[in-house]
């Protein structure tokens, strides 16, 4: 399946978790268990929410704090603007959840900024070690480390420091761990083939940090969203948070412009933030698209095509052989064409199963000198076929039997006659094997 994220209000870590848990509520217990495996002090809950326009869910976190938590669902920290942590901006974790949207940092300064409740920092290395030691499924751990890694790398680049020097505010780290581990659990459990996201709202204003006011989008968010489409809907505030941006980067990789594919719309989920946006539901919507099952005699395929004019024939042949061995690749063909300036080129076409498309694209770039390619999804027609082996002249010969409209036909595997000398001898061997295969097929019917 494919999941498309529609960032109507924006993207934050808890909004992502809420949207997917609204669509897949059966994973709530698993998410809670994964979070507690990392830190038993953290509890989470999914709560129904209706903003008067849409209904969906919120993802609420309960974690130890220096003072009582604020009103229900404003669960991020006692003091969202407490920026007393080391090199990392508190906007990356201490307000990287729905409360990123629960108050506009450029206007809402009603919270205590006295730093009286500074409870220290959690280095990225400490969080990484906790994730490594936790009793998590390997895929969940890998996704969590990947998301946190993107976040830490962005912070290190913003401040010009080593990644190991990045630290997160102690209170904010609880929320970030909950959101990121929840996201990692859901990504692993759903086994989504691909992800896409709508244009992201830029927002506007300033966010207060220990380093002073910084513009929205926050610097780390800006780095993480490199290459993503954006829009300005005129509504201020921090609309995409650093953790939300790190999740998107992890999901979309180096292809943030991937469009929403064709498919059958299945489940949908809506995850809310707590800020009220003027005239707009502050939510992230998840659309689940299932691939249509091919009809009888049909199969889904993807076609990759590209040209090569600067790779030797010898090396290209070896590269294409390696392509043929890639999982999911059905066939690879090449043909001579004339390109610009009258140059002879090789046009390559690769047929691959859709679920293996991304890996096949990477293999094309790895095994050939092409720097660009085209791909599209198609539906193919196939005839029913069966494979069997027959014994003839002291050897086993593989034969493919195909059910054609005009009757059954058989074709012997040419490689099984390779060691026979003489064209007539090889043809005779294959023809007799084909006759025997059809005969046996008829007897078994």
């Amino acid at each position: 399946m494919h999941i498309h994220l529609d960032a109507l209000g924006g993207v934050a870590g808890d909004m992502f978790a809420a949207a997917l848990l609204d669509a897949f509520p059966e994973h709530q217990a698993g998410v809670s268990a994964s979070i507690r495996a990392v830190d038993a002090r953290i509890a989470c809950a999914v709560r129904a929410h209706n903003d008067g326009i849409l209904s969906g869910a919120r993802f609420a976190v309960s974690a130890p704090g220096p003072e009582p938590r604020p009103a229900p669902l404003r669960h991020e920290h006692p003091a969202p603007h407490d920026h007393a942590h080391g090199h990392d901006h508190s906007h990356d974790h201490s307000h990287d959840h729905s409360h990123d949207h629960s108050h506009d940092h450029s206007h809402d300064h009603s919270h205590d900024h006295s730093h009286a409740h500074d409870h220290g920092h959690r280095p990225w290395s400490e969080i990484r070690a906790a994730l490594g030691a936790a009793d998590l499924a390997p895929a969940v751990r890998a996704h969590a480390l990947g998301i946190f890694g993107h976040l830490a790398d962005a912070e290190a680049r913003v401040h010009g420091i080593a990644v190991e020097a990045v630290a997160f505010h102690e209170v904010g780290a609880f929320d970030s761990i909950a959101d990121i581990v929840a996201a990692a659990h859901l990504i692993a459990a759903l086994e989504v083939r691909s992800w896409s996201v709508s244009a992201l709202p830029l927002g506007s204003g300033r966010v207060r940090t220990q380093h002073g006011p910084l513009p929205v989008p926050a610097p780390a968010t800006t780095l993480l969203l490199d290459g993503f489409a954006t829009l300005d809907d005129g509504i201020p505030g921090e609309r995409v948070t650093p953790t939300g941006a790190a999740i998107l980067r992890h999901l979309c990789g180096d292809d943030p412009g991937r469009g929403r594919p064709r498919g059958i719309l299945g489940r949908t989920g809506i995850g809310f933030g707590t800020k009220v946006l003027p005239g707009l539901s502050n939510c992230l919507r998840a659309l689940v698209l299932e691939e249509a099952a091919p009809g009888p005699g049909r199969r889904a395929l993807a076609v990759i095509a590209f040209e090569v004019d600067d790779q030797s024939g010898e090396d290209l042949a070896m590269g294409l052989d390696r392509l043929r061995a890639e999982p999911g690749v059905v066939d690879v063909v090449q043909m001579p064409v004339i390109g610009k300036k009258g140059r002879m080129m090789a046009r390559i076409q690769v047929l691959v199963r859709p679920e293996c498309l991304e890996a096949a694209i990477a293999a094309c770039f790895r095994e050939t000198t092409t720097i660009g390619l085209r791909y599209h999804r198609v539906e193919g027609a196939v005839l029913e076929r069966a494979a069997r082996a027959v014994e003839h002249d002291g050897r086993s010969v593989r034969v493919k039997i195909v059910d054609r409209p005009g009757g059954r036909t058989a074709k012997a595997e040419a490689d099984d006659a390779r060691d026979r000398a003489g064209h007539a001898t090889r043809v005779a061997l294959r023809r007799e094997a084909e006759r025997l295969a059809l005969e046996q097929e008829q007897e078994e019917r």
Side-chain angles (χ1 to χ4, degrees):
M1 64 182 169
H2 175 94
I3 292 183
H4 180 74
L5 302 173
D6 187 5
L8 180 63
V11 183
D14 66 334
M15 295 171 74
F16 177 83
L20 291 186
L21 287 171
D22 188 41
F24 299 94
E26 63 270 26
H27 290 292
Q28 290 182 23
V31 165
S32 179
S34 286
I35 291 172
R36 287 186 175 277
V38 178
D39 193 322
R41 297 170 295 174
I42 304 175
C44 68
V46 180
R47 301 176 183 174
H49 180 71
N50 188 314
D51 68 351
I53 302 173
L54 298 172
S55 62
R58 283 179 176 166
F59 183 68
V61 175
S62 300
E67 60 185 40
R69 307 289 274 180
L73 290 175
R74 299 202 37 158
H75 57 269
E76 293 71 29
H77 327 283
H81 291 298
D82 184 355
H83 300 293
H85 58 287
H87 297 287
D88 186 24
H89 293 161
S90 64
H91 60 253
D92 293 299
H93 292 280
S94 63
H95 69 254
D96 182 23
H97 309 288
S98 63
H99 80 270
D100 285 304
H101 302 272
S102 69
H103 48 267
D104 182 347
H105 297 284
S106 62
H107 303 295
D108 180 3
H109 302 302
S110 60
H111 298 279
D112 179 11
H113 300 286
S114 65
H115 303 285
H117 300 293
D118 177 10
H119 286 260
H121 315 87
R122 296 190 73 175
W124 159 226
S125 57
E126 178 184 314
I127 294 175
R128 184 174 57 203
L131 291 170
D135 183 20
L136 293 171
V140 176
R141 180 182 295 106
H143 287 302
L145 289 170
I147 296 168
F148 253 124
H150 284 301
L151 202 51
D153 287 344
E155 281 299 325
R157 290 171 61 193
V158 165
H159 297 294
I161 60 175
V163 173
E164 293 301 313
V166 171
F168 301 121
H169 185 280
E170 178 69 22
V171 178
F174 285 113
D175 292 316
S176 296
I177 288 170
D179 289 355
I180 289 175
V181 172
H185 180 98
L186 290 163
I187 294 167
L190 296 177
E191 296 183 337
V192 179
R193 174 178 54 80
S194 57
W195 300 78
S196 59
V197 64
S198 66
L200 301 168
L202 279 173
S204 62
R206 298 288 185 270
V207 58
R208 291 177 58 179
T209 77
Q210 70 176 76
H211 306 284
L214 291 175
V216 170
T221 302
T222 303
L223 292 178
L224 288 164
L225 294 183
D226 181 32
F228 283 82
T230 63
L231 60 85
D232 183 0
D233 60 8
I235 298 176
E238 185 175 46
R239 307 288 297 283
V240 179
T241 69
T243 294
I247 291 171
L248 294 180
R249 176 57 64 187
H250 179 71
L251 293 176
C252 298
D254 295 327
D255 187 20
R258 179 189 298 124
R260 182 169 39 182
R262 291 183 301 172
I264 298 174
L265 183 60
R267 305 190 193 196
T268 62
I270 292 179
F272 284 96
T274 52
K275 177 183 170 71
V276 177
L277 299 178
L280 183 69
S281 288
N282 183 27
C283 67
L284 173 69
R285 182 171 64 161
L287 302 177
V288 182
L289 300 173
E290 300 285 354
E291 285 191 39
R298 299 289 188 268
R299 65 175 174 178
L301 290 171
V303 179
I304 304 171
F306 57 93
E307 288 76 42
V308 172
D309 66 357
D310 58 350
Q311 188 170 2
S312 73
E314 181 182 46
D315 189 68
L316 179 60
M318 289 188 288
L320 297 185
D321 278 343
R322 294 182 66 86
L323 269 180
R324 292 183 182 94
E326 283 289 314
V329 170
V330 177
D331 197 11
V332 179
V333 297
Q334 63 175 312
M335 61 207 80
V337 295
I338 299 176
K340 60 184 179 182
K341 300 180 182 178
R343 293 180 186 169
M344 289 297 298
M345 300 191 299
R347 171 168 292 169
I348 312 301
Q349 179 174 286
V350 182
L351 295 181
V352 60
R353 293 200 302 270
E355 65 271 19
C356 301
L357 177 59
E358 295 302 322
I361 288 173
C364 289
F365 285 125
R366 184 175 64 246
E367 300 297 343
T368 75
T369 59
T370 187
I371 59 174
L373 51 75
R374 306 167 298 282
Y375 64 89
H376 61 280
R377 297 172 189 271
V378 298
E379 188 174 286
V382 292
L383 295 173
E384 286 192 23
R385 77 284 304 274
R388 65 167 56 234
V390 299
E391 297 295 324
H392 176 61
D393 199 16
R395 69 176 56 220
S396 177
V397 181
R398 292 166 294 170
V399 180
K400 184 184 295 181
I401 299 175
V402 179
D403 192 5
R404 298 184 181 278
R408 288 178 172 262
T409 62
K411 186 175 187 305
E413 182 62 51
D415 284 348
D416 290 346
R418 182 187 296 273
D419 62 345
R420 288 298 180 93
H423 168 70
T425 303
R426 292 190 295 271
V427 170
L429 173 63
R430 294 200 301 269
R431 295 295 174 264
E432 181 60 17
E434 291 162 359
R435 186 191 68 78
L436 288 172
L438 287 172
E439 187 177 275
Q440 292 176 11
E441 180 83 3
Q442 185 64 32
E443 290 174 355
E444 293 173 5
R445 281 177 161 261

